[in-house]
Amino acid sequence: MTASRRIAVVTGSRADYGLLRGILTRLKEMADVQLSIIACSMHLMPRFGETWRAIEADGFSIAAKIDLQLHDDRAETVARGTGIGVSGFAEVLPQLAPDVLVVLGDRYEVLAAAVAATLLNIPIAHIHGGEITAGAFDDAIRHAITKMACLHFVAAEPYRQRVIQMGENPDFVFNVGAPGLDLASTAPALSRTALFTELGISGPERFLLVTLHPTTARPDTDATNVAALLGALAEVKDRSIIFTGVNADPGYRAIDDAIKAFVAARPDHAFHFTSLGSERYWAALRLADAVVGNSSSGILEAPAIGVPSINIGDRQQGRLRAASILDCPADSAAILASLARIFEGQFPPDPGVEPPYGRGGASEKIAGTLQKIDLRDAFPKHFHDLAVAPEHRRMDG
């Protein structure tokens, strides 16, 4: 390649930045790549820690910031913010003029970026397509982005097949594993004492790592989910409970307020952090007795390092499961029973079983492909029809 390839990457939160960080590091080091980072959404919100600062602290420059004006957690505000995001990306992308726009996942700010890029005729590379999360409206967003993207980096072979099933060219659907797992080998390992010192907390050394997000496809279940979770955790006296922040989805304030009230009533062993940062999160993940809640981290990352997960409710329904995951209804007694199995050593992950999302290496594969692939082969794209068995063809006449 004689000219530098201009690659723009969108990040909207601490969560997706942690997954993208390894890719960004590799792209930044490539002499023939001009990297532009666009920060938006939760990164810019004081309530969520203004985590754009962490991007700059890691040595990256932010080329543009797009404020979606998410002043409250109503569905109308999120819908309006998505439109504001489309407008913001429509202003920023022509200025950056990327050869390809990289987006990850399934959130509304990513949809906004993809819509703008599609209308501006900018090729899109999508990470983590083909998955199913039936309990969240993210499911529809993810599949919509797949149809706008021309390059696909999926986390498992069944997801590759699903993306191809949606009409995408198999030559441009790459099964690379989950990029977030790359941090398992690069994030520094800390002792419990060192981690607690860094976090400024004191409490029992053994702990649970807890994250609960809104179930956006079934918002009526959020109150039940948080009540069941906190009801169960109220019975846990001999372990610290470390909560990480909720996503900025519709209905997040009620969950966030309930968790903060729970923590305020138990200052000796319950702690809340808007954002741990990717390195401290991975340090905590390695040391936790279990990951509890409904975050994708309990489905993707925890199994790769042998930490059991208790997955509550329907938010992650449809994702591939490792044997180390206990699915649990939103019921305090059921959650306590699952915790008891883990505390009593009845549910140790089997280290000999390969987790469904691999054990790392995705970031290098994604960055290398973005650097070298001939985009003219992938874009403009064409619908890829699957072969149809004769007995399934419509017979006319």
Side-chain angles (χ1 to χ4, degrees):
M1 195 161 39
T2 56
S4 292
R5 171 158 288 175
R6 298 183 301 275
I7 300 176
V9 181
V10 175
T11 174
S13 69
R14 59 177 170 84
D16 71 16
Y17 172 65
L19 306 182
L20 289 164
R21 187 177 171 193
I23 301 167
L24 295 172
T25 298
R26 287 162 176 79
L27 292 174
K28 181 184 176 184
E29 294 170 349
M30 293 175 175
D32 56 354
V33 167
Q34 294 181 30
L35 173 64
S36 298
I37 296 174
I38 305 171
C40 62
S41 194
M42 290 173 64
H43 277 309
L44 310 184
M45 299 171 67
R47 185 180 180 111
F48 295 95
E50 294 185 315
T51 48
W52 62 267
R53 300 181 190 278
I55 301 173
E56 293 189 341
D58 285 339
F60 297 108
S61 298
I62 297 176
K65 298 174 185 173
I66 299 175
D67 184 359
L68 274 61
Q69 301 180 31
L70 302 172
H71 304 307
D72 57 55
D73 66 342
R74 295 179 303 146
E76 299 95 311
T77 301
V78 171
R80 188 178 301 111
T82 304
I84 293 169
V86 174
S87 179
F89 282 106
E91 282 191 33
V92 165
L93 289 175
Q95 297 170 18
L96 298 177
D99 297 309
V100 61
L101 179 73
V102 180
V103 297
L104 182 147
D106 45 34
R107 290 184 54 77
Y108 48 85
E109 63 266 26
V110 177
L111 176 64
V115 168
T118 297
L119 297 176
L120 293 167
N121 218 33
I122 297 170
I124 300 169
H126 184 212
I127 302 168
H128 271 298
E131 302 175 17
I132 291 178
T133 49
F137 59 39
D138 301 352
D139 201 51
I141 292 174
R142 183 186 312 107
H143 301 321
I145 295 170
T146 289
K147 293 312 303 172
M148 290 184 269
C150 63
L151 299 178
H152 309 273
F153 299 100
V154 302
E157 186 57 28
Y159 300 151
R160 180 175 182 272
Q161 294 302 322
R162 186 172 289 133
V163 169
I164 294 169
Q165 179 184 335
M166 293 171 67
E168 299 304 299
N169 188 332
D171 292 342
F172 304 110
V173 186
F174 307 97
N175 176 13
V176 296
L181 301 183
D182 295 344
L183 285 169
S185 59
T186 59
L190 299 175
S191 67
R192 282 183 171 83
T193 301
L195 176 65
F196 277 32
T197 299
E198 282 204 13
L199 296 179
I201 63 177
S202 59
E205 282 200 347
R206 300 188 70 174
F207 65 92
L208 300 173
L209 190 57
V210 184
T211 308
L212 191 74
H213 297 307
T215 306
T216 51
R218 293 277 311 277
D220 56 303
T221 65
D222 287 342
T224 301
N225 290 345
V226 71
L229 172 63
L230 298 181
L233 294 178
E235 302 300 318
V236 178
K237 312 292 187 181
D238 60 344
R239 283 165 171 79
S240 293
I241 304 170
I242 298 178
F243 291 90
T244 63
V246 64
N247 275 347
D249 290 323
Y252 76 81
R253 286 181 184 265
I255 295 174
D256 195 43
D257 290 345
I259 289 172
K260 288 178 177 176
F262 179 93
V263 169
R266 297 163 179 82
D268 59 328
H269 72 283
F271 311 93
H272 176 269
F273 298 90
T274 301
S275 174
L276 288 175
S278 57
E279 291 189 348
R280 291 194 300 190
Y281 183 83
W282 269 96
L285 189 62
R286 289 193 189 99
L287 296 168
D289 284 355
V291 174
V292 184
N294 62 7
S295 169
S296 61
S297 180
I299 306 294
L300 276 73
E301 283 91 32
I305 56 173
V307 175
S309 305
I310 297 175
N311 177 61
I312 298 170
D314 295 334
R315 188 171 189 271
Q316 300 296 336
Q317 183 180 349
R319 273 203 164 116
L320 296 176
R321 293 291 197 272
S324 58
I325 298 168
L326 281 168
D327 286 305
C328 190
D331 175 81
S332 293
I335 296 169
L336 276 172
S338 296
L339 285 169
R341 290 182 64 187
I342 292 171
F343 293 165
E344 295 166 7
Q346 298 177 16
F347 199 70
D350 183 349
V353 177
E354 188 69 17
Y357 302 97
R359 295 187 183 274
S363 296
E364 183 175 357
K365 296 173 186 174
I366 294 170
T369 302
L370 290 170
Q371 175 194 30
K372 296 176 181 177
I373 195 166
D374 190 338
L375 291 168
R376 294 172 299 181
D377 294 336
F379 185 84
K381 71 175 190 177
H382 305 282
F383 194 93
H384 177 81
D385 278 311
L386 298 178
V388 181
E391 63 269 22
H392 292 160
R393 291 176 182 152
R394 178 179 173 182
M395 302 298 292
D396 294 318

